[in-house]
Amino acid sequence: MDITTIIGLILGFGGVLLGYHEEGGEFSALVHQASPYLIVFGGGFGAMLVTFPLSELKKAFSSVQLVFTQKKYNEIDIINELADLSEKARKDGLLSLEQDAQSNKNDLIRKGLALVVDGIETEVIKDILARETELHEEIHEAGVKLFEAMGGTWPAMGVCGTVMGMISILRDLSDPLALGPKISSAFIATMLGVGFANLVFIPFAGKIKAKTSRETMINELIIEGLLSIQAGENPRIIKEKLNLNLMEKLNGKKNVTAGAEEGAEA
Amino acid sequence: MDITTIIGLILGFGGVLLGYHEEGGEFSALVHQASPYLIVFGGGFGAMLVTFPLSELKKAFSSVQLVFTQKKYNEIDIINELADLSEKARKDGLLSLEQDAQSNKNDLIRKGLALVVDGIETEVIKDILARETELHEEIHEAGVKLFEAMGGTWPAMGVCGTVMGMISILRDLSDPLALGPKISSAFIATMLGVGFANLVFIPFAGKIKAKTSRETMINELIIEGLLSIQAGENPRIIKEKLNLNLMEKLNGKKNVTAGAEEGAEA
Amino acid sequence: MDITTIIGLILGFGGVLLGYHEEGGEFSALVHQASPYLIVFGGGFGAMLVTFPLSELKKAFSSVQLVFTQKKYNEIDIINELADLSEKARKDGLLSLEQDAQSNKNDLIRKGLALVVDGIETEVIKDILARETELHEEIHEAGVKLFEAMGGTWPAMGVCGTVMGMISILRDLSDPLALGPKISSAFIATMLGVGFANLVFIPFAGKIKAKTSRETMINELIIEGLLSIQAGENPRIIKEKLNLNLMEKLNGKKNVTAGAEEGAEA
Amino acid sequence: MDITTIIGLILGFGGVLLGYHEEGGEFSALVHQASPYLIVFGGGFGAMLVTFPLSELKKAFSSVQLVFTQKKYNEIDIINELADLSEKARKDGLLSLEQDAQSNKNDLIRKGLALVVDGIETEVIKDILARETELHEEIHEAGVKLFEAMGGTWPAMGVCGTVMGMISILRDLSDPLALGPKISSAFIATMLGVGFANLVFIPFAGKIKAKTSRETMINELIIEGLLSIQAGENPRIIKEKLNLNLMEKLNGKKNVTAGAEEGAEA
Amino acid sequence: MDITTIIGLILGFGGVLLGYHEEGGEFSALVHQASPYLIVFGGGFGAMLVTFPLSELKKAFSSVQLVFTQKKYNEIDIINELADLSEKARKDGLLSLEQDAQSNKNDLIRKGLALVVDGIETEVIKDILARETELHEEIHEAGVKLFEAMGGTWPAMGVCGTVMGMISILRDLSDPLALGPKISSAFIATMLGVGFANLVFIPFAGKIKAKTSRETMINELIIEGLLSIQAGENPRIIKEKLNLNLMEKLNGKKNVTAGAEEGAEA
């Protein structure tokens, strides 16, 4: 569970709706008419479908999980684990890692250890793992592109909805007092477009981008570590090369494996 | 037929028009006056003609088909086909591919096989196929540039149209009740500019971009595969090098050639 | 004569003015006051002068001819011509090209042939021709920058003009009916800024960019072709290397030298 | 203490509030209603939390100190210090730097000297120090991204707040004189969003970026200097290589170590 | 004196103020209230101070001179001068350039000749001169960044000022006729922000950028020329390598040293 996403959504929508309530707005007024929803949601999702092929949409939706979930490991855990594996390999030989190649929690470590145990050459392992990393990044980029595109389209559809409201309202000015509530409704479209873009879509794109770039960094640590294991380097050097000390300092903590969950984002 | 484009356009325009209808707008009001159409369409298409030379316009229009059509093949089919060709070449010699060089459905595979059968050297084949790929990309980029430019110009022409409407309306304020319908008409220009830009042009640019980048990826698979066939590599290695397993996992399916159409975007 | 520029300008300004006329606007109202013109044109051209040094302005203005003229040759003509020159050189020796080095219509071919005939070494020819190409590109880039800058400044000056109009108008609300025509005048500034930016400046920048990038592509073909001629390659190979077939297919035509003018943008 | 940040914030907020007071605005009117604060602060901070994972937020917040603090050293001090260390090393040997490796004020010099004294090879020292520099840059980049994102989101939430205000106000037009104060309140949201974005968030991002890029430049000087010390180069050459003269000229001063504090930004 | 800057500022501000006068605006109305100036100037300069450290501000201000001054030399003069120096060096030896190393008008030529006369090796000269060029570019980039940032902040502060004006005005609607002049004043803030950004800050950034890029080009010519002199190349080759002919053609003139001043921007 990504706690900042949850708190952020509650804080954002909570603040906006509470503020609206504070200045005397009634919630029923926001939903008593279907028209702004039809225009903004119809136009917004329609534009999304025209923009992205089905394959990109699937990738993008599968990247949404990044927004809500939290990885159970962090850089420091990974570095320590790789150092442990290196120690085991140096003591009992590379073949002793066969068990880990099946049971390790991290997909990339598992795949990489299998290749190392199989005795594949360094360059090929590097290529295969790098390509695997890239394909995962590509999926997440699809999510970033989708939410950024929606962040641009929805406010425009909001303006479009408000303008369309004005077009139908202004055709009859005979009852000035009746204009207010109608114009009020027309503004709901702008609020929907701007609100969803800035509270949901643009932030979602940002979070996917931030998590992908961190995952990429961790994957690079893993690839570098696995190649060091294959090369038979000793655990201390691996920790040094992967900057364990600096990371601990930057994270302001000593690594405690038991505290991995909070540590994941520490 | 690209189903997401069709559904997206229906959903987008349907939602917008239904929303307009819901808040009491009459469709006749949207079209009873030629003026916003003259300003937005005239200005928008005029700017397009000034911006692009005839050669770019032709390329751009030919790239529109990408928005509405669906390729009949996908990465997994291509990889399997290349592996089959490699098997055939290893069993019966490269010359046995002559038939495939004429009958294969994919242009690039056909051209590449012809070069392989002719015994052209690897570097030259690579150059020719890469250049062919680039020229196709260039055509699609013309489409992306055109629709992105229109996505920027049309809302501006919409604002221009509304402002011009206000200029002629405000010259006479003597009959306040008559102002409403006139201002209403003036807003139609903004609606047209913002609507077409966000429901059609910007999404079209996005879809061409997404499909071009996927086609480029598939073309790279094909070039890499053809060079492996020429080098006499075995089918299993080709599948491995082109990451067949990972692609199947990402697409969440086993490859069934018969299901190629849906598979194309799976 | 670049026909799309002419048609585009007529269509753009024609549509906008016809639309204005359709909704009852009088053309005299657009020009009866100097004030919006003073603000938008004065501010717009003033900003242009502050932005660009005299040397850049000269380059930019000389690039305007690209917007209105049409080159008399196209890729296919150039490739065929280079192939013919290569045939001649192989039959009668490089010195036989001396005549062509003086009479060829294309500046770059002329200069390149002179260098080839003089027996200058390949690397030096490549450098000199590449630098010449770059210097021409730089001139055109000055035009792109100028018109893009004006496309950004003019709408802002339009808004500035309208706001200044409102400042002087709102100081006296005693005669409400007199306000309309004054506000109407104030909006003319916005119309001028947005209109000129989107119908003229931004499209001009786009066309210069498109033509420059095509010219660069053709210049690259020429440089590659000239070096092949110097190397004594045969005409068939030159056509192959420069992708003649593909270009013909992309242009949807067979090359007919007599049809060069229309062919130029085919 | 970064004096320009302090003066800038006082000048910015002072000018804005004084200007508001000058035109007869009462400060109580700005704060008598919670609603715009709930919408803009709630929405703005909510979007921030959704956008950034906890780990990025921590990095970003730790980079805020850059906005308010001033480094006590400048390029010229660093170059002179490195030259002095080089002189010492040449006279008494690299081991004589052990004391400096513990007492030097600059983290990177301290770490680098320790590695030099330990006799680690040049390439490894370079790698470790470069990686250390990169990790620090990454922290500051997190701050730049955070404040730039907030600079984009807050004005949008301001518009959203004002629109929501209008939605609740326009539902009842029966008492026209009561509308004014209500609309006045609705505008406070726009003021908050635009004001905070332009007086705080965007400038904070700018200052972090400027200081990071200067720190990176200084770190590069340090790394280059330390490697020269290890290579036993003489102090004069080190000063020459690090462009001491030019820097003094650019800073318009002779280096006076005692004046280091003001000199830091000279 | 950079004549285009002067004429541009006069044309820009002249046009805007004359246009304002034409539509009946009184200049006194623009300045009779301090409030918009406090908000826009206070907020604008405040944001500037928060954004840039003192060191960047100093660099930026020193780059302002580029906007108003004109270099006394141009590419053609420089090329000829370098060719003359090369002739002298070939006739009387490199040492004969000692006098020129002290008296030449151009800083970079002076510094470069001194290094050449001292017999420093080619690579080192190249490094030192390139670094010097980069440091100067960096100063000018600080100016570009500053004025671009102000071009973004000022219009936002203008909107902020107008919104704040509306907040204080709308609190009391009891005297409708008094509203006009107040709203009129509130709009002055928008005019100030948009006007200064588009007539001063953005154009200043543009001019610094254009002049820096030209200066960089000239500096590259100088470095290339000085290395040719050191290598003992003959003047004709130097002119050829530095494309003297083409430059003369592009500038549409033969080089007349006596006409250097106008020639500088020809």
Side-chain angles (χ1 to χ4, degrees):
Chain A
M1 196 60 137
D2 184 329
I3 204 68
T4 58
T5 302
I6 307 301
I7 296 179
L9 288 173
I10 293 172
L11 181 59
F13 282 99
V16 165
L17 293 175
L18 202 62
Y20 175 72
H21 182 69
E22 270 288 304
E23 60 200 351
E26 291 162 46
F27 293 132
S28 64
L30 294 181
V31 294
H32 90 291
Q33 214 186 358
S35 139
Y37 294 88
L38 283 166
I39 295 177
V40 177
F41 285 60
F45 285 117
M48 180 194 84
L49 285 175
V50 180
T51 309
F52 295 98
L54 201 49
S55 57
E56 289 296 298
L57 287 175
K58 284 189 188 171
K59 285 185 203 164
F61 289 142
S62 86
S63 79
V64 174
Q65 51 129 319
L66 273 190
V67 177
F68 290 101
T69 57
Q70 189 85 306
K71 275 278 159 37
K72 289 279 175 300
Y73 52 84
N74 64 12
E75 292 88 343
I76 300 170
D77 294 332
I78 292 286
I79 297 173
N80 281 313
E81 200 170 339
L82 289 166
D84 292 350
L85 289 169
S86 129
E87 183 135 34
K88 193 168 170 188
R90 282 163 63 91
K91 226 174 27 206
D92 308 322
L94 283 173
L95 291 184
S96 70
L97 301 174
E98 194 149 24
Q99 175 59 31
D100 301 277
Q102 280 163 12
S103 62
N104 193 292
K105 286 175 311 183
N106 182 293
D107 283 357
L108 198 67
I109 295 184
R110 228 160 43 229
K111 176 149 196 178
L113 283 180
L115 293 166
V116 166
V117 169
D118 281 2
I120 310 291
E121 11 165 358
T122 310
E123 273 316 298
V124 177
I125 295 183
K126 213 168 162 178
D127 274 8
I128 292 179
L129 297 183
R131 202 152 182 175
E132 179 127 4
T133 301
E134 269 166 41
L135 278 167
H136 280 289
E137 274 175 54
E138 204 187 278
I139 293 177
H140 299 161
E141 265 167 37
V144 173
K145 276 186 214 155
L146 183 106
F147 288 115
E148 281 183 347
M150 292 176 83
T153 313
W154 282 57
M157 292 320 300
V159 168
C160 197
T162 298
V163 167
M164 293 186 84
M166 300 309 281
I167 291 172
S168 73
I169 292 162
L170 292 170
R171 298 201 69 73
D172 178 14
L173 299 183
S174 58
D175 179 4
L177 282 189
L179 287 180
K182 286 185 190 162
I183 299 178
S184 162
S185 292
F187 274 129
I188 293 175
T190 296
M191 179 201 75
L192 286 178
V194 174
F196 273 91
N198 285 284
L199 292 176
V200 179
F201 304 136
I202 297 175
F204 274 28
K207 183 150 275 176
I208 297 174
K209 212 188 281 175
K211 290 207 169 168
T212 301
S213 104
R214 193 184 183 199
E215 207 160 275
T216 300
M217 203 186 80
I218 290 184
N219 285 344
E220 283 166 6
L221 284 182
I222 291 176
I223 295 178
E224 205 170 327
L226 287 170
L227 298 181
S228 294
I229 290 174
Q230 198 192 28
E233 289 178 4
N234 82 48
R236 204 183 54 80
I237 298 235
I238 288 178
K239 284 179 182 174
E240 191 88 32
K241 275 173 69 177
L242 304 182
N243 284 46
L244 180 59
N245 286 332
L246 184 55
M247 298 245 183
E248 285 182 355
K249 207 174 74 186
L250 293 182
N251 286 307
K253 62 181 279 291
K254 296 288 162 213
N255 177 48
V256 189
T257 310
E261 177 145 8
E262 307 94 289
E265 289 297 323
Chain B
M1 197 60 139
D2 184 329
I3 203 68
T4 58
T5 301
I6 307 300
I7 297 181
L9 288 173
I10 292 171
L11 182 58
F13 281 99
V16 165
L17 293 176
L18 202 62
Y20 174 72
H21 182 69
E22 271 288 303
E23 60 199 353
E26 291 162 46
F27 293 133
S28 64
L30 294 181
V31 293
H32 90 292
Q33 214 186 356
S35 137
Y37 293 88
L38 283 167
I39 295 176
V40 177
F41 284 62
F45 285 117
M48 180 195 83
L49 285 175
V50 180
T51 310
F52 295 98
L54 201 49
S55 57
E56 289 296 297
L57 287 176
K58 284 189 190 172
K59 286 185 201 163
F61 289 142
S62 86
S63 79
V64 175
Q65 50 129 320
L66 273 191
V67 178
F68 289 101
T69 58
Q70 188 85 307
K71 276 276 160 40
K72 289 280 174 300
Y73 52 85
N74 64 10
E75 292 88 343
I76 301 170
D77 293 333
I78 292 285
I79 296 173
N80 280 312
E81 200 170 339
L82 289 166
D84 291 350
L85 289 169
S86 130
E87 184 134 35
K88 194 170 171 187
R90 284 162 62 91
K91 226 172 29 205
D92 309 323
L94 284 174
L95 291 184
S96 71
L97 300 176
E98 194 148 24
Q99 175 59 32
D100 301 278
Q102 279 162 13
S103 62
N104 194 291
K105 285 175 311 183
N106 183 293
D107 283 358
L108 198 66
I109 296 185
R110 229 161 41 230
K111 176 149 196 178
L113 283 180
L115 294 166
V116 166
V117 169
D118 280 2
I120 310 292
E121 14 166 355
T122 309
E123 273 315 299
V124 177
I125 295 182
K126 214 168 161 178
D127 273 10
I128 292 178
L129 297 183
R131 202 152 181 175
E132 179 127 4
T133 301
E134 268 167 42
L135 278 168
H136 280 288
E137 274 175 54
E138 205 187 277
I139 292 177
H140 300 160
E141 265 168 37
V144 173
K145 275 185 214 157
L146 182 106
F147 288 115
E148 282 183 347
M150 291 175 84
T153 312
W154 281 57
M157 292 319 300
V159 167
C160 197
T162 298
V163 167
M164 292 186 85
M166 300 308 281
I167 291 173
S168 71
I169 292 163
L170 292 170
R171 299 200 69 72
D172 178 14
L173 298 183
S174 58
D175 179 3
L177 282 190
L179 288 179
K182 286 185 190 163
I183 299 178
S184 162
S185 292
F187 273 129
I188 292 176
T190 296
M191 179 201 74
L192 286 178
V194 174
F196 274 90
N198 285 284
L199 292 177
V200 179
F201 304 136
I202 297 174
F204 274 28
K207 184 150 275 175
I208 297 175
K209 212 188 281 174
K211 291 207 168 168
T212 301
S213 104
R214 194 185 182 200
E215 207 160 276
T216 300
M217 203 186 80
I218 290 184
N219 285 343
E220 283 166 5
L221 284 182
I222 290 176
I223 295 178
E224 203 170 330
L226 287 169
L227 299 180
S228 295
I229 290 174
Q230 198 193 28
E233 289 179 4
N234 82 49
R236 204 182 56 78
I237 299 238
I238 288 179
K239 284 180 182 174
E240 191 87 33
K241 274 173 70 177
L242 304 181
N243 284 48
L244 180 59
N245 286 331
L246 186 56
M247 297 246 182
E248 284 182 356
K249 208 175 74 187
L250 293 183
N251 285 307
K253 63 180 280 288
K254 294 288 160 211
N255 176 49
V256 188
T257 309
E261 179 144 9
E262 307 94 289
E265 290 297 324
Chain C
M1 197 62 142
D2 184 330
I3 204 67
T4 58
T5 301
I6 307 300
I7 297 179
L9 288 173
I10 293 171
L11 182 59
F13 281 98
V16 165
L17 292 175
L18 202 62
Y20 175 70
H21 182 70
E22 270 288 304
E23 61 199 353
E26 291 162 46
F27 293 133
S28 64
L30 294 181
V31 293
H32 90 291
Q33 215 187 356
S35 135
Y37 293 88
L38 284 166
I39 295 176
V40 177
F41 283 61
F45 285 117
M48 181 194 83
L49 285 176
V50 180
T51 310
F52 295 98
L54 200 49
S55 57
E56 289 296 297
L57 287 176
K58 284 189 189 173
K59 285 186 202 164
F61 289 142
S62 85
S63 79
V64 175
Q65 49 128 320
L66 272 190
V67 178
F68 289 101
T69 58
Q70 188 86 309
K71 276 278 161 39
K72 289 278 175 300
Y73 52 85
N74 65 9
E75 293 88 343
I76 301 171
D77 293 333
I78 293 285
I79 297 174
N80 280 312
E81 201 170 341
L82 290 166
D84 291 349
L85 290 168
S86 128
E87 185 135 32
K88 194 169 171 186
R90 283 163 63 92
K91 228 174 25 205
D92 308 323
L94 283 174
L95 291 184
S96 70
L97 300 175
E98 194 149 22
Q99 174 61 30
D100 301 277
Q102 281 163 12
S103 63
N104 194 291
K105 285 174 311 182
N106 183 294
D107 282 358
L108 198 66
I109 295 185
R110 232 167 33 234
K111 175 149 196 178
L113 284 180
L115 294 165
V116 166
V117 169
D118 281 2
I120 310 291
E121 15 166 354
T122 310
E123 273 315 299
V124 177
I125 295 182
K126 214 168 160 177
D127 274 9
I128 292 179
L129 297 184
R131 202 152 181 177
E132 179 127 5
T133 301
E134 268 167 42
L135 278 167
H136 280 288
E137 275 175 55
E138 204 186 277
I139 292 177
H140 300 161
E141 264 167 38
V144 173
K145 275 185 213 155
L146 181 107
F147 288 116
E148 282 184 347
M150 290 175 85
T153 312
W154 281 56
M157 291 320 299
V159 167
C160 198
T162 298
V163 166
M164 293 186 85
M166 300 308 281
I167 291 172
S168 72
I169 292 162
L170 291 170
R171 298 201 70 73
D172 178 13
L173 298 183
S174 57
D175 179 3
L177 282 190
L179 287 180
K182 287 184 189 162
I183 300 178
S184 162
S185 292
F187 273 128
I188 292 176
T190 297
M191 180 200 74
L192 286 178
V194 175
F196 273 91
N198 285 283
L199 292 177
V200 179
F201 304 136
I202 298 174
F204 274 29
K207 183 148 276 175
I208 297 174
K209 213 189 280 175
K211 291 207 169 170
T212 302
S213 103
R214 195 187 180 199
E215 207 160 276
T216 300
M217 203 186 79
I218 290 184
N219 286 343
E220 282 166 6
L221 284 182
I222 290 176
I223 296 177
E224 205 171 327
L226 288 169
L227 299 181
S228 295
I229 290 174
Q230 198 192 29
E233 289 177 5
N234 81 49
R236 205 183 54 78
I237 299 237
I238 288 179
K239 284 179 182 175
E240 192 87 32
K241 275 173 72 177
L242 303 181
N243 284 48
L244 179 61
N245 286 332
L246 186 53
M247 297 245 183
E248 284 182 356
K249 210 175 72 188
L250 293 183
N251 285 307
K253 61 179 280 290
K254 295 287 160 213
N255 176 48
V256 188
T257 309
E261 178 145 7
E262 307 93 289
E265 289 296 324
Chain D
M1 198 59 138
D2 183 329
I3 204 69
T4 59
T5 301
I6 307 302
I7 296 179
L9 288 173
I10 292 171
L11 181 58
F13 281 99
V16 164
L17 292 176
L18 202 63
Y20 174 72
H21 182 69
E22 270 288 303
E23 60 199 352
E26 290 162 46
F27 293 132
S28 64
L30 295 181
V31 294
H32 91 291
Q33 214 186 358
S35 140
Y37 294 88
L38 284 167
I39 295 177
V40 177
F41 284 61
F45 285 117
M48 181 194 82
L49 285 175
V50 180
T51 309
F52 295 97
L54 201 48
S55 56
E56 290 296 299
L57 288 176
K58 283 189 189 171
K59 285 185 202 163
F61 289 142
S62 86
S63 78
V64 174
Q65 50 129 318
L66 273 191
V67 177
F68 290 101
T69 58
Q70 188 86 306
K71 276 277 158 41
K72 289 280 177 298
Y73 52 85
N74 64 11
E75 292 89 341
I76 300 170
D77 294 332
I78 293 284
I79 297 174
N80 281 312
E81 200 170 340
L82 290 166
D84 291 349
L85 289 169
S86 129
E87 184 137 32
K88 193 169 172 189
R90 283 162 63 91
K91 227 172 30 204
D92 309 321
L94 284 173
L95 291 184
S96 71
L97 301 174
E98 194 149 24
Q99 175 60 30
D100 301 278
Q102 280 163 11
S103 63
N104 193 291
K105 285 174 311 184
N106 183 292
D107 283 356
L108 197 67
I109 295 184
R110 229 164 39 232
K111 177 149 194 178
L113 284 180
L115 293 167
V116 167
V117 169
D118 281 2
I120 310 292
E121 13 166 355
T122 310
E123 273 316 299
V124 178
I125 295 182
K126 212 167 161 178
D127 274 9
I128 292 179
L129 298 184
R131 202 155 182 172
E132 179 127 3
T133 300
E134 269 167 43
L135 278 167
H136 280 289
E137 274 174 55
E138 205 186 276
I139 293 177
H140 299 160
E141 265 167 38
V144 173
K145 276 185 213 155
L146 182 107
F147 288 114
E148 281 183 347
M150 291 176 84
T153 312
W154 281 57
M157 292 319 300
V159 168
C160 197
T162 297
V163 167
M164 294 187 84
M166 299 309 281
I167 291 172
S168 73
I169 292 162
L170 292 170
R171 298 201 69 74
D172 178 14
L173 298 183
S174 57
D175 179 5
L177 282 189
L179 287 180
K182 286 186 190 161
I183 298 179
S184 162
S185 293
F187 273 128
I188 292 175
T190 296
M191 179 200 74
L192 286 178
V194 174
F196 274 90
N198 285 284
L199 291 177
V200 180
F201 303 137
I202 297 176
F204 274 29
K207 183 149 275 175
I208 297 174
K209 212 188 282 174
K211 291 207 169 169
T212 303
S213 105
R214 192 184 184 200
E215 206 159 276
T216 300
M217 204 186 79
I218 290 184
N219 286 343
E220 283 166 6
L221 284 181
I222 291 176
I223 296 178
E224 204 171 326
L226 288 169
L227 299 181
S228 294
I229 291 174
Q230 199 192 27
E233 289 178 4
N234 82 47
R236 204 183 55 77
I237 299 235
I238 288 179
K239 284 179 183 175
E240 191 88 31
K241 273 173 72 177
L242 304 182
N243 284 46
L244 180 59
N245 285 331
L246 185 55
M247 297 245 184
E248 284 182 355
K249 209 175 73 188
L250 293 182
N251 286 307
K253 62 183 277 292
K254 297 288 161 209
N255 176 50
V256 189
T257 309
E261 178 145 7
E262 308 93 292
E265 289 298 323
Chain E
M1 197 60 138
D2 184 329
I3 203 69
T4 59
T5 300
I6 307 301
I7 296 179
L9 288 173
I10 292 171
L11 181 59
F13 281 98
V16 164
L17 293 176
L18 202 62
Y20 174 71
H21 182 69
E22 270 289 303
E23 61 199 354
E26 291 161 45
F27 293 131
S28 64
L30 295 181
V31 294
H32 90 290
Q33 215 187 357
S35 137
Y37 293 87
L38 284 167
I39 296 177
V40 177
F41 284 61
F45 285 117
M48 181 194 83
L49 285 175
V50 180
T51 309
F52 295 97
L54 201 48
S55 57
E56 289 296 298
L57 287 176
K58 284 188 189 171
K59 285 185 202 164
F61 290 142
S62 86
S63 78
V64 175
Q65 49 129 318
L66 272 192
V67 177
F68 290 101
T69 58
Q70 188 86 307
K71 276 277 159 41
K72 289 279 176 298
Y73 52 86
N74 64 11
E75 292 89 342
I76 300 171
D77 294 333
I78 293 285
I79 297 174
N80 281 312
E81 201 170 341
L82 290 165
D84 292 349
L85 289 168
S86 128
E87 185 136 32
K88 193 169 173 187
R90 282 162 63 91
K91 228 172 28 206
D92 308 322
L94 283 173
L95 291 184
S96 70
L97 301 174
E98 195 149 22
Q99 174 61 30
D100 302 277
Q102 279 163 12
S103 62
N104 193 291
K105 285 174 310 183
N106 183 292
D107 282 357
L108 198 66
I109 295 185
R110 232 165 34 234
K111 175 148 195 180
L113 284 180
L115 293 166
V116 166
V117 169
D118 281 3
I120 310 291
E121 12 166 357
T122 309
E123 272 316 299
V124 177
I125 295 182
K126 212 167 161 179
D127 274 9
I128 292 179
L129 297 184
R131 202 154 182 175
E132 179 127 4
T133 301
E134 268 167 42
L135 279 167
H136 280 287
E137 274 175 55
E138 204 187 278
I139 293 177
H140 299 160
E141 265 166 37
V144 173
K145 276 186 214 154
L146 182 107
F147 287 115
E148 281 183 346
M150 290 175 85
T153 312
W154 280 57
M157 291 320 300
V159 168
C160 198
T162 298
V163 167
M164 293 186 85
M166 300 308 280
I167 291 173
S168 73
I169 292 162
L170 292 170
R171 299 201 69 73
D172 178 13
L173 299 183
S174 57
D175 178 4
L177 283 190
L179 287 180
K182 286 185 190 161
I183 299 178
S184 163
S185 292
F187 273 128
I188 292 175
T190 297
M191 180 200 74
L192 287 178
V194 174
F196 274 90
N198 285 283
L199 291 177
V200 179
F201 304 137
I202 298 175
F204 274 28
K207 183 149 274 176
I208 296 174
K209 213 188 281 174
K211 292 207 168 169
T212 302
S213 104
R214 193 183 181 200
E215 208 159 276
T216 301
M217 204 185 79
I218 290 184
N219 285 342
E220 283 166 6
L221 284 181
I222 291 176
I223 296 177
E224 205 171 326
L226 288 169
L227 298 181
S228 295
I229 290 173
Q230 198 191 28
E233 290 178 3
N234 81 49
R236 205 182 53 80
I237 299 236
I238 287 179
K239 284 180 183 174
E240 191 88 31
K241 275 174 71 177
L242 303 182
N243 284 47
L244 179 60
N245 287 331
L246 185 55
M247 296 245 183
E248 284 181 356
K249 209 175 73 189
L250 293 183
N251 285 308
K253 61 181 281 292
K254 296 289 161 208
N255 177 49
V256 189
T257 310
E261 177 143 7
E262 308 92 290
E265 288 297 323

